[in-house]
């Protein structure tokens, strides 16, 4: 692997969809990242436990990126105990990649809006740059502690190649207004989410009977066997 910046794109991925995937690929190409690591959160700190186990969500991510070498699934948060704090992931990656390697934490504008709820949020930039992508329906905050903090550290895409961490770069990508919540709701309502997410992921969801696919209710044998709460 060369010494270019590494993108780190965390999420619940419950399930992963084309909004995540297209954004990851566009950022990789536009910002000339060496790779983007999609990091499924085992235990998202700010929301209840997802109905699908971390392993199944990570398996879906792996299926989704299988034919795209620039995107990889990083399962490291599955082997930690307790809440999956992003700062812990960045600390681990910094130790592995060395002090000089640029790292870019990728988040949508919805995340930026509530970044100050994150564990040790001000320290994120000690370990990585922050790349904020405009997300349909959300505005980056223009006042408050996060907005001021981000404005003071605002940088340009070239900064992602010249230093290992510390800059905030805003990016507007192709807008795909897709949310995992909507996909789960569609499936529960008996509608097909096909073409909002990769076929391989939709096939897996149907095979598992996840999110109510195929009329399997909570507590069905099929769901219990597959680690669906
Ligand atoms: P949910 O609807 O369950 O909250 P989600 O679709 O927002 O899920 P997450 O796994 O929570 O997906 O999001 C992971 C990351 O992907 C976040 O940084 C989020 O801003 C970003 N993201 C999610 N959907 C999109 C999209 N359609 N376009 C761009 N970024 C997105």
């Amino acid at each position: 692997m060369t010494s270019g910046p590494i993108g780190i794109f965390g999420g619940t991925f419950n399930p992963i969809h084309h909004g995540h995937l297209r954004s990851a690929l566009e950022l990789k190409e536009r910002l000339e990242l060496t790779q983007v690591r999609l990091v499924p959160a085992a235990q998202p700190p700010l929301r209840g436990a997802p109905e699908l186990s971390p392993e199944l969500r990570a398996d879906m991510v792996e299926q989704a990126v299988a034919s795209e070498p620039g995107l990889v699934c990083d399962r490291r948060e599955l082997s930690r105990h307790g809440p999956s704090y992003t700062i812990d992931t960045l600390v681990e990656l910094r130790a592995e990649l060395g002090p000089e390697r640029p790292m870019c934490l990728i988040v949508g504008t919805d995340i930026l809006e509530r970044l100050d709820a994150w564990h040790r949020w001000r320290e994120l930039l000690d370990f990585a740059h922050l790349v904020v992508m405009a997300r349909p329906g959300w505005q980056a905050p223009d006042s408050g502690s996060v907005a001021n903090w981000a404005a003071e550290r605002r940088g340009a895409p070239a900064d992602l190649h010249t230093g290992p961490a510390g800059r905030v770069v805003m990016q507007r990508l192709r807008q795909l207004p897709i949310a995992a919540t909507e996909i789960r709701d569609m499936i529960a309502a008996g509608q097909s989410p096909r073409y909002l997410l990769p076929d391989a992921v939709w096939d897996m969801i149907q095979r598992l009977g996840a999110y109510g696919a195929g009329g399997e209710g909570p507590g069905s044998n099929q769901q219990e066997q597959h680690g669906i709460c």
Side-chain angles (χ1 to χ4, degrees):
M1 195 188 295
T2 64
S3 58
I6 300 289
I8 300 144
F9 187 7
T12 310
F13 302 128
N14 184 35
I16 188 158
H17 53 68
H18 284 139
H20 300 127
L21 291 160
R22 187 65 216 166
S23 302
L25 187 59
E26 282 192 22
L27 282 177
K28 179 189 177 290
E29 292 184 339
R30 188 191 288 189
L31 300 175
E32 297 177 26
L33 308 177
T34 301
Q35 71 177 187
V36 175
R37 296 186 183 206
L38 293 107
V39 188
Q43 194 177 317
L46 297 176
R47 56 169 89 192
E51 53 272 69
L52 239 57
S53 69
E55 288 74 18
L56 287 178
R57 288 183 284 110
D59 289 350
M60 291 194 291
V61 172
E62 262 171 17
Q63 288 280 338
V65 300
S67 55
E68 176 44 63
L71 306 183
V72 296
C73 177
D74 183 328
R75 301 175 82 105
R76 73 183 52 241
E77 293 188 357
L78 276 56
S79 49
R80 291 206 304 260
H81 295 293
S84 307
Y85 293 124
T86 298
I87 187 77
D88 295 337
T89 298
L90 296 185
V91 169
E92 278 180 24
L93 280 166
R94 178 52 73 206
E96 284 170 27
L97 298 172
E100 304 302 332
R101 187 63 174 267
M103 297 191 336
C104 303
L105 177 65
I106 298 167
V107 298
T109 36
D110 55 315
I111 300 292
L112 190 69
E113 207 169 64
R114 48 199 158 91
L115 194 70
D116 50 358
W118 282 27
H119 186 52
R120 294 166 56 193
W121 68 276
R122 290 177 190 277
E123 291 173 54
L124 297 169
L125 288 185
D126 295 342
F127 295 92
H129 300 290
L130 186 65
V131 173
V132 182
M133 47 187 178
R135 184 161 177 197
W138 297 86
Q139 289 291 328
D142 53 13
S143 63
S145 53
V146 173
N148 296 340
W149 172 85
E152 282 163 17
R153 293 160 179 80
R154 191 76 178 258
D159 297 328
L160 304 177
H161 289 257
T162 54
R167 292 286 167 193
V168 177
V169 172
M170 312 293 283
Q171 289 288 291
R172 173 162 285 273
L173 309 170
R174 179 189 303 273
Q175 303 283 284
L176 292 177
I178 304 171
T181 306
E182 189 191 357
I183 291 177
R184 294 194 301 273
D185 290 348
M186 288 173 77
I187 296 170
Q191 295 163 2
S192 172
R194 194 181 291 285
Y195 311 132
L196 297 177
L197 73 178
D199 277 345
V201 175
W202 176 220
D203 289 348
M204 203 174 146
I205 290 169
Q206 291 179 98
R207 223 172 29 247
L208 296 171
Y211 312 119
E216 299 284 344
S220 71
N221 280 344
Q222 187 187 14
Q223 290 197 333
E224 278 162 15
Q225 275 167 21
H226 290 300
I228 300 167
C229 308

